Each structure stands twice: as structure tokens, then as C-alpha cells.
Amino acid sequence: MKLPPRVINDTDPSALSIEEALLRIRDVLPRLQDAQEIDCLGALGRISAADIHSPMSVPPFRASAMDGYALRVADCHQALKLDGQSMAGHPGSDRLEPGSCQRITTGARVPDDADTVVQQENVEYNDGTVTIKIMPQMGLHVRNPGSDSKQGELLIDSGTRLGPSQLALLAAHGISSVQVYRKLVVALLSTGDELRKPGNRLEAGQIYDANRPLLQSMLQDHAIEVLDLGICKDSESALEQRLTAAQDADLVISSGGVSVGEADHVRHVLERHGQINFWKIAMKPGRPLTFGFSGPDQAYFGLPGNPVSAALTTLLFVQPAIRHMLGRTLALPPPLLLPLSDELRKNPGRVEYQRAIMQQDSQGNWQVGTTGLQDSHVLSSLHRANCLIELETGSTGAAVGETVKVYPFTNFAEPVL
Ligand code: AMP
Ligand code: MG
């Protein structure tokens, strides 16, 4: 008997590459236009909808960077008479007699007549007299007005995600409210007659719905409002009903029902109410991914039903698409390059993502190995993984010690946006 070849070619000419699919998504998905003004206190994770210019220079005055003495550098060769003080929030006099200095604290205003601050560790104080032990350079420890930002300067671009640093920057400039895009409304549903919600008893042939918790968590974000549409039966009319309930959504995401089986009605419904852009990607897992529109202003992703495929297509397509809709970049985070600790096999013809774990060996060197069974229904090997290994389309596998591209989950676990 003749054995089948060990390497089977998986090429499918009707399947798009990941790059082509992302370009198509970028080309047809509209960006959110509606903006709203909100208080900065509630703006964490929202996306700025306008360029923000600095209303003032920061720091607003010449400020000391040290606790010490404000003085003229030209006077430093002599013992200086201590004359007054300038404390943070309590500025002293701007005048300084030649040969004198002023006690100053960090953040306090430097008197106009002083050009330098000497830190207190570098002076000797004795009965009202200050002697400089280490000669300072002119201007030392003086923060100039506008050294952080100048009035009128661009502070934050439109399309920036407002994280802790951005909110601190706005506050430092006295800005208390900000123009942001409204939240993106994303509706989720799981299709499948076999699906039950956890907490209920399974009848024969039923399984629990893992995809809604998966998607809800992967799309939890300050800039997104998730609309949970529950489990949907395998019929076109049931799906149409859900779409009616999802009328206000900018994006609908369903899982299941996208392969070419009998119960695969998602594509029929899209064809009737909107349009299909693509429905097959040359990747594993996750080949049957449908993307299109379910209405004039409503984008639609039909994810594969197997949970690992749903997770991967969400990472690679849905999250980037949402970033784009919110005015941000579609680009994925950069991969790491790590040596393999296991041999990997693969059929050529599509890009493959293997669930993997990166860890240090006994010498402290980082390496990456598979987490085991890679079938697309196996969530336990996703649970044990902390990264994905990417094997290119033409690859037939990789040997121990070979360097492979690795996408850590910590990158993906960043806010979606
Ligand atoms: P489908 O794409 O509908 O043909 O589903 C492919 C496989 O994924 C089938 O084994 C389904 O039972 C399974 N599946 C579909 N949806 C879910 C879900 N929400 N949770 C867990 N498994 C699912
Ligand atoms: Mg199904």
C-alpha cells in the first residue's frame, strides 16, 4: 500500500493572506466621526477626537529642581549671606542683593535675580552664611518656563488613546475636559443549535458556549460598549432577528455558522442585508472568517465557531479593525524572535499560529515551546500558552534551536486600542 505523503499542501487559491485581508478591512471600514466633550476624570482609555494644543507653558515659571540655595553663579567664590526663602507655592522676593542667596525648595520659584540653584548637599551653612563647596555651572537646577511644553505647542494628536500619561499631561496643563470619539458599539452573539449557557444542564449533543465570554473579555475596553445578543439558533430568521436588535451597533461579531456546512447561514443573511467582502483566510486556525457589512453602516465579522479560531481571528482582525474604526493604527505589535525548544511540523499553504509558552531555561536564556495539542477546539492549550508562534505560509515546520517569530499575549492583553 502506498502511504500518503507526509507533507500535504494546504494552499487554497480562494483564501486571502492576512495582509490582504487587513488592507481590505482598512479600506472599507469607516472611522468613527462623532465626538463628545467629556470630563478628563472619566476619559481613561478613550480616544482623542481633536488635536490638543498647550494652553500654557509648563513649567509656568522658573522653578528650582532641587532643595538648596538660589544665587548668582558669579558670586560663588565668596561666602554668601542668606537672605530669605522661596518655598513651593510660597515664592520669595525676586530681588537678591549681590553676595547673597535665598533658601529654596524643589518646585519653588527661582528669584529673577538668581541664575543658578546649588543643592544643599554642596554647601556649608554656618550661622546665616552659605559657602559653596562645589562650583556650579550657570543655570544648574533651574527649570526654565516651557521646558516641558510651550504655550500653543501640539500636546496630543487626534486619535491618541488617553492613558495615564496623557491624562497627567492634560492635568499639568490645566485641561479638565477633552474631545473624544463616542464609544464604539459592538454587538456579540454565538450561533449554534448545540450551544448552552454555562449554569444550565446539557442535553444530548449540546456543549457550552465558550465564545461569548471569550469575546466579551477580549473586547472589554473603555472605548467600547459591548451589546450581548446571547445565543442564536442556526436559522436565517433567528439571525435576522438578532440583527434587528443590534440596529444601533457599529459592528456585529458572531461566532459559528461560517463554514460551508448546511447550517452556515451567516453568509446568506449578509448577502441579503449587506455585503460580503471576504470569507476565507489562508491561516490556521481560523480559515473561515467572514467579513463584510450587515447594513449600510454596520460592519460584520463572522468568526469561526471553534473557540481557539475565534480567539485568533479576534486578535488578528477584529481588534485591529476596532482600532482602525477608533482612528488608531491597524498594525499588530512587533514579534519577538526566540529559539524553539520543540520540533514543530506544519503543512505548507497557510500561515499557522501555534499556542506556545516562552520561558527561561536553567541558564536564564529565553526559549519557546508548544503547549501541546493544537486542534482548534482545544482551549486547554490556549490556557497554558503565554504567546503564539507564527510559522510562515511556505514553512513545513521548524527544528529545535531554530529562531521563530513569537507574539506574546502580554502585547495583545494591552488595551484593545
Ligand atoms: P461552526 O463554525 O458553527 O461549524 O462551529 C465549528 C465548531 O465550533 C463546532 O464544533 C461547534 O460546536 C463549535 N462551536 C461553535 N460555537 C461555539 C461556541 N460559542 N462555544 C464553543 N464551541 C463552539
Ligand atoms: Mg455552528
Side-chain angles (χ1 to χ4, degrees):
M1 196 181 78
K2 202 171 158 215
L3 285 172
R6 196 175 73 80
V7 172
I8 301 161
N9 198 303
D10 239 354
T11 307
D12 177 347
S14 63
L16 289 187
S17 72
I18 292 179
E19 295 72 26
E20 283 171 306
L22 285 171
L23 285 179
R24 285 207 192 181
I25 290 171
R26 195 194 61 189
D27 286 348
V28 299
L29 268 192
R31 297 196 142 179
L32 268 189
Q33 298 296 328
D34 318 340
Q36 54 188 176
E37 175 113 7
I38 62 168
D39 197 291
C40 282
L41 287 174
L44 179 68
R46 301 295 293 273
I47 313 296
S48 63
D51 289 346
I52 303 168
H53 291 89
S54 175
M56 61 185 279
S57 290
V58 172
F61 51 85
R62 288 203 312 153
S64 174
M66 285 286 169
D67 290 338
Y69 297 87
L71 43 75
R72 291 182 185 85
V73 83
D75 288 346
C76 282
H77 57 280
Q78 66 191 77
L80 299 170
K81 181 171 161 274
L82 181 61
D83 183 13
Q85 59 180 25
S86 182
M87 302 283 143
H90 304 280
S93 164
D94 268 328
R95 302 275 76 85
L96 204 58
E97 292 301 319
S100 64
C101 65
Q102 205 175 82
R103 171 97 182 108
I104 197 161
T105 60
T106 305
R109 199 182 66 175
V110 176
D112 282 350
D113 285 348
D115 52 34
T116 301
V117 170
V118 175
Q119 69 191 84
Q120 62 195 20
E121 293 83 346
N122 293 347
V123 310
E124 235 171 65
Y125 175 78
N126 209 331
D127 198 20
T129 303
V130 171
T131 312
I132 311 299
K133 293 192 292 186
I134 300 174
M135 284 300 135
Q137 273 189 342
M138 164 79 91
L140 190 71
H141 302 319
V142 177
R143 296 174 180 157
N144 283 317
S147 53
D148 186 351
S149 76
K150 297 197 171 42
Q151 185 171 12
E153 185 177 293
L154 179 63
L155 274 186
I156 291 179
D157 294 290
S158 177
T160 303
R161 183 179 174 278
L162 300 174
S165 344
Q166 289 71 31
L167 294 177
L169 184 68
L170 293 176
H173 288 78
I175 297 172
S176 61
S177 66
V178 63
Q179 284 278 322
V180 294
Y181 288 113
R182 70 166 168 82
K183 290 191 182 192
L184 192 79
V185 182
V186 180
L188 298 181
L189 61 126
S190 292
T191 73
D193 286 348
E194 76 279 30
L195 300 179
R196 296 284 280 161
K197 195 174 167 205
N200 296 297
R201 229 171 59 86
L202 291 183
E203 307 291 338
Q206 295 185 330
I207 59 168
Y208 288 117
D209 173 13
N211 288 347
R212 264 180 320 132
L214 174 86
L215 291 169
Q216 272 167 353
S217 347
M218 289 183 78
L219 299 177
Q220 192 167 86
D221 193 279
H222 294 289
I224 298 178
E225 186 187 325
V226 171
L227 220 64
D228 185 354
L229 300 182
I231 295 172
C232 175
K233 288 282 178 207
D234 278 324
S235 82
E236 291 181 25
S237 61
L239 184 56
E240 280 171 336
Q241 251 177 22
R242 298 300 154 123
L243 284 181
T244 312
Q247 254 167 3
D248 292 338
D250 300 294
L251 174 64
V252 177
I253 304 171
S254 66
S255 67
V258 289
S259 15
V260 271
E262 253 172 49
D264 298 320
H265 42 272
V266 169
R267 284 197 286 136
H268 300 151
V269 170
L270 287 193
E271 271 158 1
R272 194 170 315 133
H273 296 276
Q275 68 192 70
I276 293 177
N277 190 302
F278 61 77
W279 57 280
K280 226 193 245 184
I281 308 285
M283 66 182 276
K284 185 183 176 184
R287 172 145 58 188
L289 171 72
T290 300
F291 169 67
F293 285 85
S294 40
D297 298 314
Q298 190 173 67
Y300 195 103
F301 275 104
L303 309 183
N306 275 309
V308 176
S309 309
L312 271 181
T313 46
T314 302
L315 281 178
L316 294 174
F317 301 100
V318 178
Q319 290 184 343
I322 289 177
R323 282 199 295 270
H324 171 81
M325 291 178 94
L326 286 163
R328 307 201 66 218
T329 170
L330 219 79
L332 295 175
L336 302 175
L337 295 173
L338 290 179
L340 265 178
S341 57
D342 300 309
E343 184 192 349
L344 301 181
R345 285 193 180 173
K346 158 184 182 301
N347 295 332
R350 37 180 180 157
V351 180
E352 187 164 319
Y353 290 92
Q354 299 221 356
R355 285 143 264 171
I357 181 145
M358 44 180 196
Q359 54 198 348
Q360 284 170 296
D361 65 13
S362 50
Q363 271 86 53
N365 299 314
W366 285 92
Q367 54 180 13
V368 65
T370 168
T371 52
L373 202 59
Q374 294 290 324
D375 296 58
S376 56
H377 67 286
V378 181
L379 274 172
S380 53
S381 65
L382 186 63
H383 149 66
R384 281 193 302 276
N386 61 9
C387 63
L388 294 170
I389 294 174
E390 182 186 88
L391 296 173
E392 286 168 17
T393 308
S395 154
T396 55
V400 173
E402 207 171 300
T403 301
V404 288
K405 276 191 188 169
V406 173
Y407 291 92
F409 286 163
T410 44
N411 280 353
F412 290 118
E414 292 280 304
V416 172
L417 313 160

